[in-house]
Amino acid sequence: MDPRIREHAQTIVDHSTRVEGGDNVVVSAPAVADDLVTAICELIGERGAYVVTTSSDPRFMRAYLRASEKEEFETPEHQLALFEESDVLINIRAETNATEQSDVDPKTNAAWRRAYKPIQKEALSKRWCLTQYPAKGSAQLAGMSTEAYENFVYDAVSLDWEKQADHQQQMVDLMNDADEVRITSGDETDVTMSIAGNTTINDKGEHNLPGGEVFTAPVKDSVEGEVYFDLPLYRQGREITGVRVTFEDGKVVDYSAERNEEVLDGVFDTDEGARFLGELGIGMNRNIDQFTYNMLFDEKMGDTVHMAVGAAYPETVGDDNEVNESAEHVDMIVDMSEDSVIELDGEVVQRNGTFVFEDDF
């Protein structure tokens, strides 16, 4: 076994989820990630915890959703019960075919997301970690050789997370002292939002591994302006490109995409909350220096900002503000490396991807 797999497993168990004796742990992964699951289970056993493993191969869900053809689903109570009895949830991504679910109707996917919402909410209340195993399908989607992608993944997840957290804390402190954010990029992105009373989180490789962003929630009805998400995303096995969104009073009132706009139709029609922003994130992981069509990595890249329509993370929302509720959480990215500015209360804190606290600002 590649020693980097064992190092990855140790980071997940000891840093990201802090597994302790007596914990009930669920590990979900496709078969291609068996080496990482094996290493994780070994560490869980050494720490005196208990483990259940489940398969998350997207072929299974594709088969189920296509066969069901339902407009509405019921929440799978047996999975909810498993999560309720668990202390730690570890979810491993590893693609053998990134477009596996491309022929599932977006409306069916939206219906499933609505039914799954209570499970999603329960999962977020646990010690959870989402991470990536460098499978060949993931490498192919990124346009990289298997070896190059392995190096890319392990370099990103094996950072000195204490040092990275110190670097990011500088931006966290600036945002926690601010009320309004304005983001401009090129001629097509100019958006403002209030973050007054909300909390900015320092993502240091715990819930997401790799980490490397700072994120918060906008005040729900405060988002105004237009955003051109110039980097693509994969959603439901489809590439969505050239997304343009207009916000008024916090709500998406107009949108378009150059490719696969129908997937956005399904997202925005999922529920009322899917038309509001739940997250504003700023990428700060300089080890992630290549776009890979994998949001777990792409949203952490330096020189980027991402915004997620749908559910807000409750820990980012102040007591006096409303938590946006939705079955969706869809991140989309703006490249901030050129002709781009982030302002906090009218003061420039990032210009063309460089932060005010960096030497070459």
Side-chain angles (χ1 to χ4, degrees), residues 33-271:
D34 279 355
D35 280 352
L36 181 55
V37 175
T38 299
I40 290 170
C41 289
E42 184 175 52
L43 292 172
I44 290 171
E46 289 176 357
R47 282 147 187 72
Y50 302 93
V51 68
V52 169
T53 61
T54 66
S55 174
S56 57
D57 193 314
R59 292 177 302 165
F60 304 156
M61 185 52 64
R62 172 191 175 274
Y64 172 72
L65 292 177
R66 282 176 57 85
S68 298
E69 294 184 346
K70 293 182 178 180
E71 295 184 1
E72 294 298 332
F73 292 87
E74 293 184 2
T75 299
E77 297 290 340
H78 53 309
Q79 185 176 2
L80 179 60
L82 174 63
F83 283 14
E84 287 173 343
E85 295 299 320
S86 301
D87 303 296
V88 176
L89 304 173
I90 298 169
N91 187 11
I92 301 166
R93 290 180 177 173
E95 287 76 26
T96 54
N97 179 0
T99 61
E100 187 65 55
Q101 295 191 35
S102 61
D103 52 1
V104 177
D105 190 327
K107 293 181 179 179
T108 303
N109 266 309
W112 175 251
R113 296 289 297 178
R114 288 191 292 271
Y116 200 78
K117 182 179 176 180
I119 296 174
Q120 179 188 50
K121 186 174 182 178
E122 183 66 27
L124 292 176
S125 73
K126 306 297 182 178
R127 280 174 281 150
W128 60 271
C129 178
L130 171 65
T131 193
Q132 178 77 36
Y133 179 81
K136 293 179 180 179
S138 308
Q140 186 175 40
L141 184 63
M144 301 168 71
S145 69
T146 302
E147 180 180 4
Y149 189 69
E150 289 172 349
N151 293 336
F152 171 81
V153 169
Y154 293 130
D155 285 348
V157 303
S158 61
L159 284 184
D160 180 336
W161 289 110
E162 184 176 346
K163 181 179 179 180
Q164 181 71 21
D166 289 343
H167 174 63
Q168 294 174 181
Q169 189 62 40
Q170 298 171 93
M171 190 62 184
V172 170
D173 292 341
L174 290 172
M175 293 181 70
N176 279 335
D177 288 340
D179 290 336
E180 185 179 83
V181 181
R182 182 184 181 191
I183 297 167
T184 59
S185 182
D187 297 328
E188 296 191 80
T189 292
D190 190 344
V191 63
T192 60
M193 64 192 72
S194 172
I195 56 172
N198 287 348
T199 300
T200 302
I201 302 295
N202 189 340
D203 171 23
K204 50 189 177 182
E206 294 174 321
H207 291 319
N208 281 182
L209 184 64
E213 64 170 300
V214 302
F215 64 95
T216 189
V219 175
K220 184 174 179 179
D221 61 358
S222 71
V223 186
E224 297 282 346
E226 298 179 350
V227 185
Y228 174 49
F229 296 102
D230 48 356
L231 293 180
L233 69 148
Y234 251 78
R235 185 74 179 174
Q236 301 170 12
R238 300 170 177 89
E239 182 189 31
I240 309 172
T241 60
V243 177
R244 290 173 171 82
V245 178
T246 301
F247 294 94
E248 293 181 4
D249 297 324
K251 189 174 183 178
V252 174
V253 295
D254 191 27
Y255 65 90
S256 65
E258 294 165 8
R259 184 180 183 191
N260 284 322
E261 185 177 309
E262 68 276 7
V263 179
L264 288 182
D265 295 339
V267 169
F268 289 130
D269 290 343
T270 299
D271 50 37

Side-chain angles (χ1 to χ4, degrees), residues 170-171 174 348-351 354-361:
Q170 298 171 93
M171 190 62 184
L174 290 172
V348 176
V349 296
Q350 189 199 72
R351 182 181 290 111
T354 302
F355 295 98
V356 66
F357 46 79
E358 293 182 311
D359 292 340
D360 53 351
F361 179 74

